[in-house]
Amino acid sequence: MPRGGRAAGDTARGREAVAGAMPAPSPGPREVLASSPEAGSRAAAAGSSSRGLLWHLQDKRLRLGLFEIDPGHELHQMTCMMQAGLWAATQVSMDHPPTGPPTEEDFSQVLTQVHEVGSPRLLHGRGCVPVLALFPQFPPQAVGAMACLRALQEGCGYPDPLALGPSAHTWAPVDALGAALPPQQGFELGTLAGPAFARLRRSLGLADEDYQAALGPGGPYLQFLSTSKSKASFFLSHDQRFFLKTQRRREVQVLLAHLPRYVQHLQRHPHSLLARLLGVHSLRVAQGKKKYFIIMQSVFFPAGRISERYDIKGCEVSRWVDPAPEGSPIVQVLKDLNFEGKTINLGPQRSWFLRQMELDTAFLRELNMTDYSLLVAFQQLHEDEKGLGSSLIFRTVRSVRGIQSPEESGAQNRRLLPDAPNALHIVDGPEQRYFLGLVDLVTVYGLHKRLEHLCGTLCCLGRTFSPVSPACYARRLCQWAEAHTE
């Protein structure tokens, strides 16, 4: 896999050095990735203005896909901070798990951890402890925040920094290869509604250790560049299991305001198609402006054998993407008009899918949400994967756990889950495996969307467009699902 940075020998030695100091990353498929286009494009950007609009469109087309954020990437520093901060934030959840019934405070708690990036040392509120003196068994390039915190907690005899309070400890993080972040660049990572999300992750059977290993400094994040009109940045964990997306402050406020109802909906309908939100965080570098991001379970996981991906809104305007050439390694998400002529063949699970679409879109309609998407992906089933096969007992137990009666099962609209990772977003048809999930759940039908609706009404005569009322949007997406399934 192409990768920027140091020589292969140094890379291998760096990986060996940190292997014993932090949890091993979760294994996962790695698609064909390219080195990020960011570093090369910056040098050419200054002279590009005279080339005109056509050049910019071609450049954008070439920059689509999934890219590894290597040390030459302009977002490398920020993602290293996110990794170090998320490792520490998850450690708090592991050391102080929520107990007892959920409370209002679980949904309103804000934990801020302050990290100081500079010389390799660990500060813990009662003075400075030199890191290299504490851990002579590690080479200097491998001694970073994660190794230090782990070693302190596991028997070095020093006070646990976390016990001194969330803002009382700071440390110098490094990436997975031991490369220190630039000095004199401190940052804060905030964890919003941490106990509520910790409970939600555990209800999904997601171990904090796996979550920490995937999102921490075990490997570089991947950047996803798409044709989305959103100004958000999109990242994937190194194993592609978790999806990270930057959000505006207003969107985060909406999400947190509706979080109790979202959790309640998932309790009532455990096999819901709604994307599973796993965390909400803020990142402030030095004295800069806070940036917010969310973490969710990726709908398209495991990604290794997926052949086609679609983002469906049930409309026509701006819903076409020029497909990549056949055989291209570009990871591309197509849209509604690209789906014409295709069908989702769910067999006997079609009725479950249509009913769940009704339940989930009704919930979003009640919250006054619009402009969300149904993600769809195709994967050809192998012969030994077709039908229920020998996993029937496992699937039945896994799918009905906790149900008290057939009436409750019907009300919850449960189904037999496949014996596969990410089973909640996977539905197996007779020949194909489908990845299905509703995402982008926090767009309120407020003044901005109402103005977009007015403009669409005037400019898109006879054609369907995205910004419509929540009731119309929910009905239209359900109609699309009914028309394109069998």
Side-chain angles (χ1 to χ4, degrees):
M1 181 185 308
R3 181 195 285 260
R6 63 196 71 184
D10 292 340
T11 298
R13 287 191 293 271
R15 282 179 173 155
E16 290 170 2
V18 299
M22 64 181 64
S26 302
R30 299 297 293 272
E31 298 192 16
V32 178
L33 305 178
S35 293
S36 166
E38 302 294 340
S41 64
R42 285 199 300 269
S48 66
S49 59
S50 61
R51 305 186 190 183
L53 177 62
L54 180 59
W55 185 90
H56 285 289
L57 292 175
Q58 291 174 336
D59 179 63
K60 183 177 181 181
R61 175 68 181 80
L62 293 172
R63 288 155 53 88
L64 295 177
L66 197 60
F67 301 95
E68 190 170 276
I69 300 179
D70 56 28
H73 195 291
E74 63 182 3
L75 297 176
H76 180 253
Q77 174 180 288
M78 185 185 80
T79 55
C80 284
M81 292 177 180
M82 292 166 66
Q83 288 180 315
L86 290 174
W87 196 99
T90 309
Q91 190 65 44
V92 172
S93 175
M94 293 163 64
D95 293 341
H96 307 284
T99 57
T103 65
E104 290 186 10
E105 186 179 352
D106 292 345
F107 295 92
S108 60
Q109 184 185 103
V110 178
L111 171 71
T112 299
Q113 293 170 290
V114 182
H115 302 248
E116 180 180 295
V117 182
S119 59
R121 61 184 184 176
L122 175 69
L123 307 180
H124 58 68
R126 298 182 184 176
C128 175
V129 179
V131 169
L132 298 181
L134 286 176
F135 307 106
Q137 68 271 36
F138 296 126
Q141 68 269 23
V143 180
M146 305 306 101
C148 298
L149 186 59
R150 173 70 66 179
L152 278 172
Q153 291 174 329
E154 291 184 354
C156 283
Y158 289 90
D160 180 355
L162 298 175
L164 301 173
S167 61
H169 64 281
T170 60
W171 51 79
V174 295
D175 66 18
L177 305 180
L181 297 177
Q184 311 306 320
Q185 190 81 340
F187 69 96
E188 299 176 1
L189 188 112
T191 301
L192 290 72
F197 284 110
R199 293 179 189 276
L200 181 56
R201 293 195 298 269
R202 285 165 195 171
S203 73
L204 298 172
L206 175 57
D208 280 335
E209 291 80 3
D210 292 339
Y211 187 70
Q212 184 185 59
L215 293 168
Y221 283 171
L222 311 176
Q223 183 185 24
F224 180 64
L225 298 176
S226 72
T227 57
S228 170
K229 294 184 293 183
S230 169
K231 295 181 180 179
S233 296
F234 305 94
F235 307 102
L236 285 154
S237 59
H238 63 87
D239 60 0
Q240 302 187 37
R241 185 178 179 184
F242 302 113
F243 190 84
L244 300 90
K245 178 185 178 183
T246 59
Q247 301 269 197
R248 293 190 294 266
R249 183 170 180 267
R250 174 59 183 159
E251 292 172 327
V252 169
Q253 290 175 332
V254 170
L255 189 158
L256 294 175
H258 295 307
L259 184 58
R261 294 185 65 181
Y262 168 81
V263 171
Q264 194 174 58
H265 180 78
L266 295 185
Q267 290 172 341
R268 290 174 178 170
H269 306 288
H271 297 170
S272 166
L273 292 163
L274 299 182
R276 295 320 193 256
L277 301 173
L278 305 175
V280 177
H281 299 273
S282 65
L283 177 70
R284 187 204 299 270
V285 180
Q287 300 301 315
K289 185 178 179 180
K290 278 186 180 179
K291 296 181 180 180
Y292 294 90
F293 64 95
I294 63 172
I295 304 171
M296 69 184 82
Q297 199 162 291
S298 175
V299 174
F300 298 150
F301 175 82
R305 289 162 46 204
I306 290 178
S307 58
E308 302 171 63
R309 299 168 174 81
Y310 295 89
D311 179 311
I312 302 297
K313 292 183 181 288
C315 60
E316 301 169 291
V317 175
S318 299
R319 301 305 295 167
W320 169 264
V321 174
D322 290 331
E326 188 173 352
S328 169
I330 291 177
V331 178
Q332 190 175 36
V333 179
L334 304 175
K335 298 185 179 180
D336 298 63
L337 296 180
N338 300 96
F339 201 90
E340 286 186 358
K342 297 183 181 294
T343 303
I344 302 173
N345 184 5
L346 297 176
Q349 300 212 66
R350 180 176 183 264
S351 59
W352 169 86
F353 172 68
L354 295 179
R355 174 58 178 157
Q356 195 58 55
M357 283 290 294
E358 291 177 358
L359 292 168
D360 289 335
T361 56
F363 168 71
L364 295 172
R365 183 185 67 232
E366 292 172 3
L367 298 185
N368 199 34
M369 299 300 173
T370 187
D371 211 23
Y372 43 90
S373 295
L374 172 66
L375 295 186
V376 181
F378 291 76
Q379 175 185 305
Q380 186 70 32
L381 287 172
H382 291 157
E383 287 300 321
D384 59 351
E385 295 173 325
K386 295 177 182 179
L388 298 180
S390 60
S391 61
L392 174 61
I393 295 177
F394 171 81
R395 287 156 52 102
T396 303
V397 171
R398 181 179 184 177
S399 303
V400 304
R401 183 180 298 141
I403 294 180
Q404 302 300 318
S405 66
E407 291 77 14
E408 183 181 355
S409 176
Q412 292 184 330
N413 196 42
R414 291 188 181 235
R415 63 184 173 100
L416 289 177
L417 296 176
D419 184 8
N422 199 27
L424 290 171
H425 288 301
I426 291 175
V427 183
D428 285 348
E431 300 292 331
Q432 296 265 7
R433 168 165 288 178
Y434 300 98
F435 296 77
L436 303 165
L438 292 166
V439 299
D440 298 334
L441 309 177
V442 291
T443 302
V444 176
Y445 190 63
L447 177 61
H448 180 72
K449 285 297 174 182
R450 292 174 188 272
L451 291 175
E452 283 188 20
H453 173 72
L454 178 60
C455 292
T457 303
L458 297 175
C459 302
C460 305
L461 297 177
R463 302 181 69 199
T464 55
F465 50 89
S466 181
V468 294
S469 70
C472 179
Y473 197 93
R475 181 172 61 253
R476 188 176 70 189
L477 196 57
C478 287
Q479 289 171 347
W480 185 97
E482 187 166 5
H484 291 83
T485 55
E486 60 182 21

